[in-house]
Amino acid sequence: MANIQEVAQKAGVSVATVSRVLNQHPAVTAKTKLKVETAIKELNYEPSMLGRNLRNSESRLLLVLIPTISNPFYTEIINGIEDTAIMNDYNILLCDTDSNPQRENIYFNMVKNKLADGIISMDPAVDMEKLNGLATQYPIIQCSEYDERGTIPYVTIDNKLAAYRAVKHLIKLGHEKIALINSDEKFLYARERRAGYEKALKEFGLPVQEKWIYHTHQLEFEYGQQAMKKLLQRDERPTAIFSVSDTLAIGALKEINAHGLNVPEDIAIVGFDKISFSNMTNPTLTTVSQPMYKMGCTAATMLIDKIQERQVESIILDHELVIRESTMG
Amino acid sequence: MANIQEVAQKAGVSVATVSRVLNQHPAVTAKTKLKVETAIKELNYEPSMLGRNLRNSESRLLLVLIPTISNPFYTEIINGIEDTAIMNDYNILLCDTDSNPQRENIYFNMVKNKLADGIISMDPAVDMEKLNGLATQYPIIQCSEYDERGTIPYVTIDNKLAAYRAVKHLIKLGHEKIALINSDEKFLYARERRAGYEKALKEFGLPVQEKWIYHTHQLEFEYGQQAMKKLLQRDERPTAIFSVSDTLAIGALKEINAHGLNVPEDIAIVGFDKISFSNMTNPTLTTVSQPMYKMGCTAATMLIDKIQERQVESIILDHELVIRESTMG
DNA sequence: ATTTTATGTGTAATCGATTACAAAACATCT
DNA sequence: AGATGTTTTGTAATCGATTACACATAAAAT
């Protein structure tokens, strides 16, 4: 691959002039510009980002940290991020952290080393302390998951309200024995959704029973199955389930079917996220829809604003309860 | 962020010595080494990848091109790639190309610009001509999808044989009217799987009927639903479906259920990929399992070999037919 | 024709690392 | 002590771009 000097030589000009052509500096005659462009084409030259970034201290690359690409929840968000980034002449790189601090470090270093201009973190298991530390020096935005005590701007939904509405929907249908399949409450979203669940129960004078609250370690289907299995072993069987994730809800649904029970007649289910699978189950899944694409766009816009040193405020987006067959036969 | 000069100054040595410490060059006294390491810690110094890469012309970053993160098929492969890469001191960056040539270009440029050392492409819709051109100068491996006419090393499975076995399984169960839900035959895997389908039919003296072969434009569920809807409109209804993708098969399953028909009694289905959701459907989906994790590991190993200028040969891995409820009630 | 002004181009420093080579420091042997 | 060899450290070039500043050239004003 040719470099700028060779282009300069071939075009019979200085490297400065070549650089000016590359950066569309106005002070270049049409004639010189043409010479340079011809040379560039002939040599098949492409400027090195390395040299450029080293000098400019910018890479126009955004890092997107996701805990795992297995969860379809992230797909639409990423589309939003990507579209917005490209519109602003940025590109994104997906980083599958696997919630592994060591891998996270690699990506944090990319920002420190100017290989990337900023980070959008969607990993609830990220080392918050480290992230907050990094955020004092580098542009960082949190998307969907965030640290309530930190100062990093975020975009998310009102998880408590969303959960409240989901559970209220079940109560309005006449359910009184409503179980909660929650993930680990070390995550803020898990705590908030639980708060919403409890708020709804209390508002309608229903007791919050520990035996109907189950915590999973992960979000994969199997954990939902396992949770449901345990819940079905309780002496008193719940008539409805609110699950903090569609993947868990789908696993639960599978387990209910395996026990010869019917959804929603025997047990109703509400999930969370509206992943595309949720419409493929039988029955289809009632779920809380987050504006994922918009969330992605917002996060990207916020990050770019931050990079360009504009003021950035956290944003709470709307959500929507999508009622389908798993609650209304 | 401090740079190497500041560290050198603080430690009272030259930048060369600092660099030697960083790179574990043996010719540094324990005493000097300690001084430098103290200075590094005090200044919180981290070497800049930009400066380093510019000089070394290596980034130890691998690019992984996927058409979309929506398809769970890629998840396990990526885990394999990632684990192998990390074991060899490489890191990976996921690039969601969306099968968009413009986005591809961005990532191709990253390699040209030494921001990445090589590419693993899993995008069937990639511009093969361009990829082959790039491969003459840069390390590139194809995973799962490949160009039969090109010279880029690949790792994949025997798609024709896998399809043949899947269809033979249906024939052995007594099916004679077997439809094929295929994706676009501009993709090699689609052509090969069709060849396997036809081979099985012919071997058992069954006619290949165009009316039972449907091509979809994409792999999302909805396309499977649509395909099935069309197939159910045929004057003669098939008794079995072979779908080249689990996602399409799941859409088809949904559509069959919607028509009040039963799987596998009325219509049996075989999918392809063994995505995790294929075990959550009702009935569970018979499917062809690819050794995805191993495929990822292999692809990464091949790429690293290629980068380090070792000889690399293409590899065909084994597959397995996983028989579940959608073919055996 | 000469000075002033505007415009286009080149020179050279710079970003942050690595490394060949030179030089210094130290050890070993007559 | 002086010569020689070995080990450690420093100097300076280099990677590929950008850009402030200087300089050259052309156009406009006197």
Side-chain angles (χ1 to χ4, degrees):
Chain A
M1 174 67 59
N3 61 19
I4 199 170
Q5 346 273 345
E6 301 175 49
V7 174
Q9 193 168 10
K10 178 140 209 152
V13 299
S14 73
V15 292
T17 303
V18 177
S19 177
R20 289 198 188 94
V21 173
L22 290 171
N23 295 284
Q24 324 195 52
H25 191 101
V28 183
T29 355
K31 199 168 54 178
T32 341
K33 196 174 162 190
L34 192 69
K35 276 195 298 183
V36 172
E37 281 168 347
T38 316
I40 288 178
K41 274 202 196 92
E42 280 181 21
L43 290 172
N44 229 310
Y45 165 78
E46 307 234 15
S48 154
M49 288 187 190
L50 243 31
R52 177 175 287 174
N53 295 353
L54 179 58
R55 178 63 214 233
N56 286 353
S57 288
E58 77 159 6
S59 62
R60 300 204 81 85
L61 240 38
L62 309 181
L63 252 38
V64 178
L65 263 47
I66 49 177
T68 164
I69 63 159
S70 315
N71 195 330
F73 168 60
Y74 298 105
T75 311
E76 266 300 291
I77 299 184
I78 289 167
N79 283 334
I81 295 176
E82 199 151 23
D83 287 349
T84 307
I86 286 174
M87 229 171 341
N88 290 278
D89 282 319
Y90 281 86
N91 292 304
I92 74 162
L93 291 172
L94 249 41
C95 309
D96 184 348
T97 65
D98 215 10
S99 295
N100 176 337
Q102 217 178 336
R103 288 199 190 173
E104 272 167 15
N105 245 318
I106 291 160
Y107 301 117
F108 288 171
N109 278 332
M110 285 189 66
V111 178
K112 290 189 192 167
N113 295 333
K114 303 282 170 68
L115 279 190
D117 293 348
I119 294 181
I120 294 175
S121 168
M122 300 203 269
D123 188 353
V126 75
D127 180 337
M128 283 300 173
E129 207 173 326
K130 205 179 272 177
L131 196 70
N132 275 301
L134 205 68
T136 61
Q137 299 193 57
Y138 304 94
I140 296 184
I141 299 292
Q142 289 186 289
C143 179
S144 177
E145 309 298 336
Y146 67 102
D147 179 7
E148 50 186 340
R149 295 175 313 274
T151 56
I152 305 176
Y154 54 80
V155 53
T156 187
I157 60 160
D158 187 334
N159 279 294
K160 182 175 173 186
L161 181 61
Y164 166 80
R165 285 187 178 152
V167 175
K168 187 169 167 182
H169 164 66
L170 289 170
I171 296 173
K172 289 282 185 187
L173 289 173
H175 292 283
E176 300 194 334
K177 295 187 273 185
I178 303 172
L180 171 67
I181 299 182
N182 203 353
S183 74
D184 198 317
E185 289 194 17
K186 71 182 172 201
F187 303 135
L188 177 63
Y189 79 93
R191 294 196 297 278
E192 298 219 311
R193 290 179 195 174
R194 178 190 180 131
Y197 163 80
E198 295 192 359
K199 183 181 173 210
L201 292 184
K202 282 175 187 151
E203 186 172 315
F204 290 88
L206 299 171
V208 175
Q209 308 231 43
E210 280 303 326
K211 65 174 176 185
W212 286 336
I213 299 180
Y214 189 92
H215 295 96
T216 67
H217 294 304
Q218 306 256 11
L219 295 177
E220 275 79 38
F221 300 127
E222 307 84 55
Y223 293 87
Q225 287 179 283
Q226 197 190 340
M228 197 64 226
K229 186 177 282 179
K230 294 288 184 191
L231 287 171
L232 288 174
Q233 285 168 5
R234 303 282 185 266
D235 49 349
E236 205 174 4
R237 187 209 292 161
T239 65
I241 309 285
F242 170 53
S243 160
V244 298
S245 154
D246 279 350
T247 49
L248 293 176
I250 289 169
L253 176 60
K254 181 82 194 159
E255 191 64 23
I256 293 172
N257 285 335
H259 280 73
L261 297 170
N262 287 318
V263 175
E265 293 80 4
D266 300 314
I267 301 181
I269 305 187
V270 180
F272 208 109
D273 287 345
K274 198 184 172 211
I275 65 177
S276 63
F277 288 141
S278 68
N279 205 24
M280 285 298 126
T281 52
N282 188 8
T284 53
L285 193 65
T286 293
T287 187
V288 177
S289 158
Q290 304 194 41
M292 302 192 264
Y293 184 82
K294 191 172 171 194
M295 199 181 276
C297 294
T298 309
T301 306
M302 287 167 75
L303 182 58
I304 292 169
D305 280 348
K306 190 100 189 167
I307 290 170
Q308 296 172 358
E309 294 181 326
R310 287 190 286 270
Q311 187 66 32
V312 173
E313 300 289 342
S314 294
I315 294 175
I316 310 284
L317 295 178
D318 286 335
H319 58 264
E320 189 189 353
L321 181 65
V322 178
I323 297 168
R324 295 197 287 218
E325 296 164 0
S326 72
T327 55
M328 316 269 291
Chain B
M1 174 67 58
N3 61 18
I4 200 171
Q5 345 273 345
E6 300 175 49
V7 175
Q9 193 168 12
K10 178 140 210 151
V13 300
S14 72
V15 292
T17 303
V18 177
S19 177
R20 290 199 187 92
V21 172
L22 289 172
N23 294 284
Q24 323 195 56
H25 191 102
V28 184
T29 353
K31 199 168 55 178
T32 346
K33 195 174 163 190
L34 191 70
K35 276 195 298 183
V36 172
E37 280 167 347
T38 317
I40 288 177
K41 273 202 197 91
E42 280 181 21
L43 291 172
N44 230 309
Y45 165 78
E46 308 233 15
S48 154
M49 289 187 191
L50 283 176
R52 176 174 290 174
N53 295 353
L54 178 57
R55 180 59 215 232
N56 286 354
S57 288
E58 78 159 3
S59 62
R60 300 204 81 85
L61 242 36
L62 308 182
L63 251 38
V64 177
L65 262 47
I66 48 178
T68 164
I69 63 161
S70 312
N71 194 332
F73 168 63
Y74 298 106
T75 311
E76 266 301 290
I77 298 184
I78 289 168
N79 283 334
I81 295 176
E82 198 151 22
D83 288 350
T84 307
I86 286 176
M87 231 172 339
N88 290 280
D89 283 319
Y90 281 86
N91 291 304
I92 74 161
L93 291 173
L94 248 43
C95 308
D96 184 348
T97 64
D98 216 10
S99 296
N100 175 339
Q102 218 178 336
R103 289 199 188 173
E104 273 167 15
N105 245 319
I106 291 159
Y107 301 117
F108 287 171
N109 278 333
M110 285 188 68
V111 179
K112 290 190 194 166
N113 295 333
K114 302 283 170 67
L115 279 190
D117 293 347
I119 295 181
I120 294 176
S121 168
M122 300 203 269
D123 188 354
V126 75
D127 180 337
M128 284 299 173
E129 206 174 330
K130 207 179 271 177
L131 196 70
N132 275 303
L134 204 67
T136 61
Q137 300 193 57
Y138 304 95
I140 297 184
I141 299 292
Q142 290 186 289
C143 180
S144 175
E145 309 299 335
Y146 67 102
D147 179 7
E148 50 187 339
R149 296 176 311 273
T151 56
I152 306 176
Y154 54 80
V155 51
T156 187
I157 60 162
D158 187 334
N159 279 295
K160 183 175 173 186
L161 181 61
Y164 165 80
R165 285 187 179 152
V167 175
K168 186 169 167 182
H169 164 66
L170 289 170
I171 295 173
K172 290 280 185 189
L173 288 173
H175 293 283
E176 300 194 334
K177 293 187 271 187
I178 303 171
L180 170 67
I181 299 183
N182 203 353
S183 72
D184 199 316
E185 288 193 18
K186 71 182 170 200
F187 304 135
L188 177 61
Y189 79 92
R191 293 196 299 275
E192 298 218 312
R193 291 179 194 173
R194 178 189 179 132
Y197 163 80
E198 294 192 359
K199 182 180 174 213
L201 292 186
K202 282 175 190 152
E203 186 171 316
F204 290 88
L206 299 171
V208 174
Q209 308 231 43
E210 281 301 326
K211 65 175 177 187
W212 285 334
I213 299 179
Y214 189 92
H215 295 97
T216 67
H217 293 305
Q218 307 255 9
L219 295 176
E220 275 81 38
F221 302 125
E222 306 84 54
Y223 293 88
Q225 287 180 282
Q226 199 191 338
M228 197 64 226
K229 185 177 283 177
K230 294 289 182 190
L231 287 172
L232 288 174
Q233 285 168 6
R234 302 283 185 265
D235 49 350
E236 205 174 5
R237 188 209 292 160
T239 66
I241 309 285
F242 170 52
S243 158
V244 297
S245 154
D246 280 350
T247 49
L248 293 176
I250 289 166
L253 176 60
K254 182 83 194 158
E255 190 65 23
I256 293 172
N257 285 335
H259 280 72
L261 298 170
N262 287 318
V263 174
E265 294 80 3
D266 299 314
I267 300 182
I269 305 188
V270 180
F272 209 111
D273 287 345
K274 199 185 171 209
I275 64 175
S276 64
F277 191 63
S278 68
N279 204 24
M280 286 298 128
T281 53
N282 189 5
T284 54
L285 193 65
T286 292
T287 186
V288 177
S289 159
Q290 305 193 41
M292 303 191 263
Y293 183 83
K294 191 172 172 195
M295 199 181 276
C297 294
T298 308
T301 306
M302 288 167 72
L303 182 58
I304 292 168
D305 281 348
K306 189 100 191 168
I307 290 170
Q308 296 172 0
E309 293 180 328
R310 287 190 286 271
Q311 188 64 31
V312 173
E313 299 290 340
S314 295
I315 295 176
I316 309 285
L317 295 177
D318 286 335
H319 59 264
E320 188 190 352
L321 181 64
V322 178
I323 296 168
R324 294 198 288 218
E325 296 164 359
S326 71
T327 56
M328 316 269 290

